[in-house]
């Protein structure tokens, strides 16, 4: 599930492969931009912004993409066979003399003027892994709606950019409260600690291939994907229920003993959860 850490990793791979090199092949396979010719232009940089990717290209252009649930960018050395899905799922191809970047299943792909990037990402709050990170602003954003459930507020990229469903569940566990607790009811000391903890979780995972929040090699996550399994701290069965984020319901995990606060009336004791690595807002 792409969140701020995995998008940061994708940007790094793309930047290494493309930045400072002239495009010898470019193919945008979406109707609106299918005739755009980017060949002969150099890629200047690839920058992550929350869950968004901005590939800046010579001539004042930016290719904006968003991975959502299952999109991905793959980088291949020229001559290697592409492997990321069937050909009909390819939405973008950017190649130079050495490597080719292929975008699979990209639900958001648009070419815009670099000067107009705010049209795509200007609504986002401070980026947990970006140079604009500001914990005070992020906290003020979260507290603007004190009656809103914490889990929903954390997923709202207008508050702070980069948290998805995995880190939402893990962050709430580490704070000791359920994702349904109203933001304004979070104890003061935990409220003050929230931005730093969120930033730390993404910071320590941005270079890792597999997310880790527990410090344990055999169990990488405290609650996400662990429905009906024993809590690593107290042994109580982890619970699972859906929680809305303003756009759709998302599976949400918590420990009923370690986390205090309201819970939904019905929970699902499902044994297997979704993948922990693979939430545009």
């Amino acid at each position: 599930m792409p969140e701020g850490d995995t998008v940061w990793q994708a940007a790094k791979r793309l930047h290494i492969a493309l930045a400072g090199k002239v495009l010898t092949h470019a193919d945008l396979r979406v109707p609106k931009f299918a005739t755009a010719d980017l060949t002969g232009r150099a890629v200047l940089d690839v920058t992550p912004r929350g869950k968004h990717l901005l590939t800046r290209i010579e001539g004042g252009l930016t290719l904006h993409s968003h991975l959502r649930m299952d999109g991905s960018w793959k980088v291949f050395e020229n001559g290697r066979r592409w492997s990321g899905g069937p050909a009909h799922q390819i939405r973008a191809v950017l190649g130079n003399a050495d490597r080719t970047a292929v975008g699979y299943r990209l639900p958001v792909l648009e070419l815009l003027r670099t000067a107009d990037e705010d049209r795509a990402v200007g609504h986002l709050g401070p980026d947990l892994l970006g140079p604009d990170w500001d914990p005070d602003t992020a906290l003020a954003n979260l507290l603007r709606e004190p009656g809103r459930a914490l889990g929903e507020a954390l997923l709202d990229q207008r508050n702070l950019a980069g948290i998805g469903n995995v880190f939402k569940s893990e962050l709430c566990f580490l704070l000791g409260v359920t994702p349904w607790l109203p933001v304004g009811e979070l104890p003061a000391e935990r409220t003050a600690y929230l931005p730093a903890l969120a930033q730390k979780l993404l910071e320590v995972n941005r270079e890792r291939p597999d997310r880790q929040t527990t410090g344990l090699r055999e169990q990488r996550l405290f609650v996400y994907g662990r429905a009906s399994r024993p809590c690593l701290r107290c042994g109580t069965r982890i619970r699972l229920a859906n929680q809305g984020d303003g756009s759709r319901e998302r599976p949400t995990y918590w420990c009923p003993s370690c986390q205090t606060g309201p819970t939904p009336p019905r929970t699902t004791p499902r044994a297997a959860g979704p993948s922990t690595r693979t939430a545009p807002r």
Side-chain angles (χ1 to χ4, degrees), residues 61-81:
L61 297 176
T62 295
L63 185 64
H64 167 230
S65 59
H66 193 293
L67 306 180
R68 287 192 183 166
M69 292 299 291
D70 61 353
S72 68
W73 279 97
K74 303 287 186 179
V75 175
F76 305 96
E77 292 185 2
N78 288 346
R80 281 191 56 193
R81 183 177 180 180

Side-chain angles (χ1 to χ4, degrees), residues 10-205:
K12 181 180 180 180
R13 290 193 299 271
L14 290 170
H15 185 84
I16 291 172
L18 302 176
K21 300 177 182 178
V22 174
L23 293 172
T24 57
H25 178 62
D27 184 9
L28 305 183
R29 301 182 183 180
V30 293
K32 187 175 180 179
F33 304 106
T35 60
D37 185 8
L38 301 177
T39 57
R41 298 174 185 255
V43 173
L44 304 179
D45 66 78
V46 182
T47 298
R49 182 72 174 86
K51 300 178 187 178
H52 300 250
L53 284 164
L54 302 172
T55 302
R56 299 184 178 115
I57 301 168
E58 187 179 30
L61 297 176
T62 295
L63 185 64
H64 167 230
S65 59
H66 193 293
L67 306 180
R68 287 192 183 166
M69 292 299 291
D70 61 353
S72 68
W73 279 97
K74 303 287 186 179
V75 175
F76 305 96
E77 292 185 2
N78 288 346
R80 281 191 56 193
R81 183 177 180 180
W82 299 350
S83 56
H88 72 266
Q89 293 182 347
I90 296 173
R91 296 293 176 266
V93 180
L94 300 175
N96 55 44
D98 302 310
R99 293 179 176 85
T100 299
V102 184
Y104 289 89
R105 300 171 299 280
L106 300 175
V108 176
L109 185 71
E110 61 175 342
L111 189 65
L112 58 146
R113 304 295 302 179
T114 301
D116 296 332
E117 284 181 359
D118 273 359
R119 181 169 61 81
V121 297
H123 66 289
L124 299 175
D127 186 344
L128 285 150
L129 295 178
D132 69 314
W133 171 241
D134 184 337
D136 293 334
T137 299
L139 186 56
N141 290 344
L142 289 168
L143 293 174
R144 277 186 307 204
E145 297 182 80
R148 191 176 190 185
L150 177 60
E152 294 180 19
L154 290 172
L155 288 179
D156 190 335
Q157 303 298 293
R158 297 170 299 178
N159 291 330
L160 66 172
I163 291 179
N165 211 34
V166 178
F167 282 122
K168 175 200 78 173
S169 293
E170 294 295 295
L171 183 58
C172 287
F173 176 83
L174 291 169
L175 290 170
V177 298
T178 69
W180 292 271
L181 182 79
V183 175
E185 295 182 21
L186 187 65
E189 70 280 1
R190 294 181 226 182
T191 300
Y193 183 50
L194 191 160
L197 180 58
Q199 201 272 340
K200 181 180 179 180
L201 285 181
L202 269 72
E203 181 81 20
V204 300
N205 280 287

Side-chain angles (χ1 to χ4, degrees), residues 236-248:
T236 302
R237 287 174 57 185
I238 299 299
R239 304 298 293 175
L240 165 65
N242 286 328
Q243 182 181 40
D245 68 342
S247 62
R248 63 181 180 274

Side-chain angles (χ1 to χ4, degrees), residues 204-223:
V204 300
N205 280 287
R206 68 179 184 178
E207 298 280 6
R208 289 174 172 168
D210 298 305
R211 289 195 183 102
Q212 170 69 259
T213 62
T214 65
L216 303 173
R217 180 176 301 177
E218 61 277 8
Q219 294 289 350
R220 295 182 290 103
L221 301 177
F222 281 109
V223 292

